[in-house]
């Protein structure tokens, strides 16, 4: 080999070694999809967006890894009465853009989140009637009625620099941030990634990782590794049912922990006909309006077998709408045991004794769920054909009321069952946002259920409120408004040299990342 050829080869090899052995300095999250935007009040419906924003911004309160409400920008709070909250602010909190946080910044942020036309937080604050600056470090929030759940919702109402937003408008969030969090946003390439840099002026002290990047790719996508910078160490979540799960297990170390996500079967309960059902005479009735049919569906499911087919060794069978650890979980409710004979008897006592056909809508992300459910329902006399849909088509079908039976999951991110009851179980009320994620009905088919949900929300005393939430849970389970199937187990894979502890709410925040030898 000539010296002319040898030198470039040696340099190339050295460059490769340099890349492989670069000191870790960037915590990288494979976040599955892109953020909606970076305005903390106009964005945040997508999980990825919340992960990014939680590193750059903070609310008055936060949730710790076990979902307990803890102080954040408010050092303490009190309730002078059931409709008043007062927050004593933490002193000497700096913004990424300069300046110190005051009560005026907090009041401006809450009002912006409450009234800005594009805000996604309006429903979270619909019960707020006013925000007052009582002093430089004291804020008062008044509500229309008692609202014990407000405190947990305030975690997502991020405080921004009033001066920065007044000066720059929407540009204050254009690839940058004006929050108080441990990281500041330094850039975004739409459709690819968001970059953050450690904010050394953070009131809680500096984080370990100097930089972070949230990549809009899943593990297994052809170009995901091209977006990992030199010195980057990677973490990602992978479903056991995913086609890349076996490769993920070879990638690096994995961390297991309980998840807040529950997989459930949902029904169309709106009217006497539903488009995905065909009766033996060819008509389109709606068997699911009959509680006995819904119970037959529940009894036809072997939740242990579903778990094995859907997720293998991971996760747990579910018998209620939230997992253990969530406020309002009822330990007295058992996981139902399969009883096909009983299911057939129930069906025989209804106008649908001859069975019926139904289209079962399943997201491609949860592909394995469809065949398992369809096979079990067939044993009870319900013939389900699986319709596998991508994300856009699946939610378009649900939103346009064209789905009769579907498999979906929800996550109680606040750690309070009130979230599930308000968003998924309550009848729809566009003025308040109640029932905004309810794809089954507009008006509750169970008399008094909405009133019980509202009553729990208005109850301030924790023990009394827990009892009321558990009452709602039992009522919903007895009526089989949804059929819980499975609780996910959080499974995070990390590069060698990286520790990233799992959180109960499944958020991967850069502040939690640790580099290890």
């Amino acid at each position: 080999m000539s010296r002319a050829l040898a030198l470039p080869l040696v340099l190339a090899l050295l460059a490769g070694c340099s890349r492989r052995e670069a000191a870790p300095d960037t915590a990288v999250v494979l976040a599955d999809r892109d953020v909606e935007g970076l305005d903390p009040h106009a964005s945040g419906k997508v999980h990825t967006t919340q992960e990014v924003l939680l590193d750059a911004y903070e609310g008055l309160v936060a949730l710790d890894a076990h979902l307990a409400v803890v102080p954040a920008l408010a050092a303490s709070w009190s309730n002078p009465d059931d409709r008043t909250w007062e927050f004593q602010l933490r002193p000497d909190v700096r913004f990424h853009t300069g300046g110190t946080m005051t009560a005026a910044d907090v009041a401006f942020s809450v009002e912006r989140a409450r009234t800005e036309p594009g805000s996604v937080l309006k429903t979270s604050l619909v019960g707020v009637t006013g925000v007052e600056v009582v002093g430089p470090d004291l804020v008062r929030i008044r509500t229309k009625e008692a609202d014990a759940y407000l405190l947990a919702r305030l975690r997502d109402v991020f405080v921004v620099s009033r001066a920065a937003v007044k000066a720059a408008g929407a540009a204050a969030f254009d690839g940058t941030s004006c929050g108080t969090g441990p990281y500041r946003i330094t850039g975004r390439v739409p459709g690819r990634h968001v970059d953050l840099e450690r904010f050394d002026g953070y009131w809680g002290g500096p984080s370990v990782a100097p930089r972070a990047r949230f990549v809009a790719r899943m593990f297994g996508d052809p170009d995901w590794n091209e977006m990992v910078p030199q010195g980057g160490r990677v973490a990602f979540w992978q479903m056991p049912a995913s086609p890349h799960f076996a490769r993920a297990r070879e990638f690096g170390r994995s961390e297991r922990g309980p998840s807040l996500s529950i997989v459930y079967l949902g029904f169309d309960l709106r009217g006497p006909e539903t488009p995905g059902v065909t009766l033996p005479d060819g008509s389109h009735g709606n068997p699911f309006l009959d509680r006995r049919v819904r119970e037959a569906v529940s009894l036809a499911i072997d939740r242990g077998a579903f778990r094995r087919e859907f997720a293998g060794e991971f996760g747990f069978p579910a018998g209620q709408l939230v997992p253990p650890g969530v406020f309002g979980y009822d330990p007295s409710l058992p996981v139902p045991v399969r009883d096909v004979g009983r299911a057939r008897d129930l069906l025989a006592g209804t106008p649908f004794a001859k069975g019926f056909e139904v289209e079962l809508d399943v997201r491609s992300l949860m592909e394995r769920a469809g065949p398992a459910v369809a096979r079990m329902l067939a044993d009870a006399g319900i013939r389900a054909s699986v319709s596998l849909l991508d994300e856009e088509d699946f939610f378009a079908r649900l939103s346009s009321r064209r789905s009769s039976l579907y498999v979906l999951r929800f996550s109680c991110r606040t750690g309070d069952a009130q979230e599930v009851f308000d968003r998924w179980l309550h009848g729809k009320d566009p003025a308040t946002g109640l029932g905004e994620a309810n794809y089954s009905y507009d008006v509750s088919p169970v008399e008094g259920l909405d009133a019980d949900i509202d009553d729990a929300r208005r109850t301030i005393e924790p023990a009394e409120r827990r009892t009321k939430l558990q009452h709602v849970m039992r009522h919903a389970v007895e009526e089989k408004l949804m059929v819980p199937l499975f609780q996910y187990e959080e499974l995070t894979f990390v590069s060698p040299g990286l520790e990233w502890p799992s959180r109960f709410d499944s958020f991967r925040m850069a502040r939690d990342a640790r580099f290890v030898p």
Side-chain angles (χ1 to χ4, degrees):
M1 181 183 293
S2 69
R3 292 182 62 186
L5 291 174
L7 183 57
L9 177 60
V10 169
L11 290 175
L13 289 171
L14 288 173
C17 290
S18 174
R19 176 173 175 81
R20 286 194 302 271
E21 297 174 4
D25 67 354
T26 305
V28 179
V29 176
L30 301 185
D32 297 358
R33 59 192 296 185
D34 197 10
V35 297
E36 309 141 77
L38 295 174
D39 183 331
H41 302 147
S43 310
K45 286 189 173 182
V46 173
H47 183 80
T48 299
T49 309
Q50 291 176 313
E51 283 190 316
V52 173
L53 295 177
L54 280 166
D55 270 317
Y57 294 92
E58 297 171 295
L60 290 168
V61 301
L63 299 181
D64 68 14
H66 304 290
L67 304 183
V69 176
V70 295
L73 297 181
S76 62
W77 54 86
S78 61
N79 289 103
D81 58 65
D82 284 354
R83 294 185 295 171
T84 305
W85 296 79
E86 291 189 349
F87 296 90
Q88 184 70 44
L89 302 184
R90 191 179 296 278
D92 302 321
V93 173
R94 304 287 297 174
F95 285 111
H96 301 158
T97 48
T100 302
M101 180 194 70
T102 68
D105 295 295
V106 175
F108 170 80
S109 300
V110 175
E111 284 295 338
R112 185 175 187 270
R114 191 166 76 99
T115 61
E116 190 78 6
S119 174
V120 299
L121 297 169
K122 287 183 179 181
T123 57
S124 295
L125 298 170
V126 70
V128 172
T129 58
V131 186
E132 305 168 32
V133 176
V134 181
D137 56 0
L138 185 63
V139 175
R140 180 180 295 138
I141 296 178
R142 297 188 186 275
T143 59
K144 184 164 37 180
E145 59 186 15
D147 186 356
Y149 177 48
L150 175 66
L151 196 61
R153 299 200 307 276
L154 285 175
R155 189 276 301 267
D156 295 330
V157 181
F158 295 122
V159 174
V160 299
S161 165
R162 178 177 178 271
V165 176
K166 288 285 189 181
F173 312 108
D174 187 10
T176 185
S177 56
C178 57
T180 62
Y183 287 83
R184 62 185 185 90
I185 297 170
T186 57
R188 178 194 177 199
V189 180
R192 292 180 67 84
H193 54 76
V194 178
D195 288 324
L196 300 93
E197 182 177 86
R198 183 172 59 200
F199 178 47
D200 290 333
Y202 180 54
W203 61 266
S207 299
V208 171
R211 281 171 285 280
R213 172 173 285 186
F214 288 79
V215 175
R217 293 293 186 274
M218 298 176 64
F219 178 81
D221 285 345
D223 59 346
W224 73 266
N225 53 351
E226 298 173 11
M227 300 184 204
V228 177
Q230 188 173 3
R233 298 295 184 267
V234 179
F236 60 92
W237 178 80
Q238 193 80 3
M239 290 179 61
S242 135
H244 303 293
F245 185 70
R247 285 180 55 203
R249 299 189 79 170
E250 298 172 358
F251 174 80
R253 188 171 50 82
S254 63
E255 295 181 357
R256 296 172 66 165
S259 166
L260 292 171
S261 294
I262 298 288
V263 176
Y264 68 98
L265 270 175
F267 309 101
D268 176 11
L269 301 176
R270 291 188 179 88
E273 290 192 355
T274 184
V277 165
T278 303
L279 302 180
D281 63 2
S283 64
H284 297 284
N286 191 349
F288 302 123
L289 293 179
D290 191 319
R291 183 199 170 281
R292 294 169 295 178
V293 174
R294 301 195 299 270
E295 185 173 2
V297 169
S298 179
L299 288 170
I301 303 297
D302 182 334
R303 288 161 174 80
F306 177 87
R307 173 234 188 193
R308 290 189 295 273
E309 187 162 338
F310 180 65
E313 64 186 279
F314 302 97
F316 314 93
Q320 56 186 292
L321 307 180
V322 297
V326 169
F327 188 79
Y329 173 84
D330 188 344
S332 72
L333 287 172
V335 174
V337 176
R338 191 186 200 211
D339 189 339
V340 175
R342 174 64 177 153
R344 284 183 172 275
D345 290 344
L346 282 168
L347 209 58
T350 73
F352 312 100
K354 295 181 179 179
F356 55 90
E357 296 177 1
V358 61
E359 193 171 351
L360 173 63
D361 295 323
V362 179
R363 303 160 68 183
S364 56
L365 186 68
M366 304 169 72
E367 180 176 357
R368 291 187 188 177
V373 170
R375 188 180 61 255
M376 295 175 192
L377 292 182
D379 292 341
I382 300 171
R383 299 174 295 282
S385 59
V386 178
S387 180
L388 193 63
L389 304 165
D390 63 26
E391 296 289 291
E392 184 176 352
D393 289 342
F394 178 84
F395 285 103
R397 182 172 292 192
L398 264 61
S399 299
S400 61
R401 307 181 178 189
R402 292 181 288 119
S403 185
S404 300
L405 182 66
Y406 56 90
V407 179
L408 192 55
R409 65 174 178 174
F410 47 61
S411 297
C412 186
R413 301 292 181 196
T414 60
D416 192 312
Q418 191 75 49
E419 176 187 1
V420 172
F421 298 160
D422 279 356
R423 297 189 64 211
W424 275 274
L425 199 61
H426 200 286
K428 287 186 176 294
D429 182 351
T432 63
L434 292 168
E436 64 179 348
N438 188 335
Y439 295 108
S440 290
Y441 50 83
D442 298 328
V443 178
S444 177
V446 179
E447 185 177 356
L449 184 62
D450 282 357
D452 287 345
I453 293 172
D454 296 338
D455 183 42
R457 192 187 320 107
R458 289 191 292 262
T459 302
I460 298 294
E461 202 282 316
E464 183 182 0
R465 192 165 80 88
R466 185 195 300 272
T467 298
K468 290 182 176 181
L469 290 172
Q470 290 174 339
H471 168 74
V472 172
M473 184 71 72
R474 287 192 296 273
H475 203 174
V477 168
E478 288 165 3
E479 291 293 336
K480 303 295 184 289
L481 295 178
M482 304 168 182
V483 174
L485 302 175
F486 171 78
Q487 178 195 348
Y488 275 102
E489 188 171 14
E490 188 65 26
L491 196 61
T492 301
F493 294 91
V494 294
S495 297
L498 178 65
E499 287 184 353
W500 209 320
S502 295
R503 290 174 53 93
F504 202 5
D505 58 14
S506 78
F507 286 125
R508 290 169 293 271
M509 293 188 282
R511 69 183 75 181
D512 297 328
R514 301 286 184 272
F515 298 125
V516 295

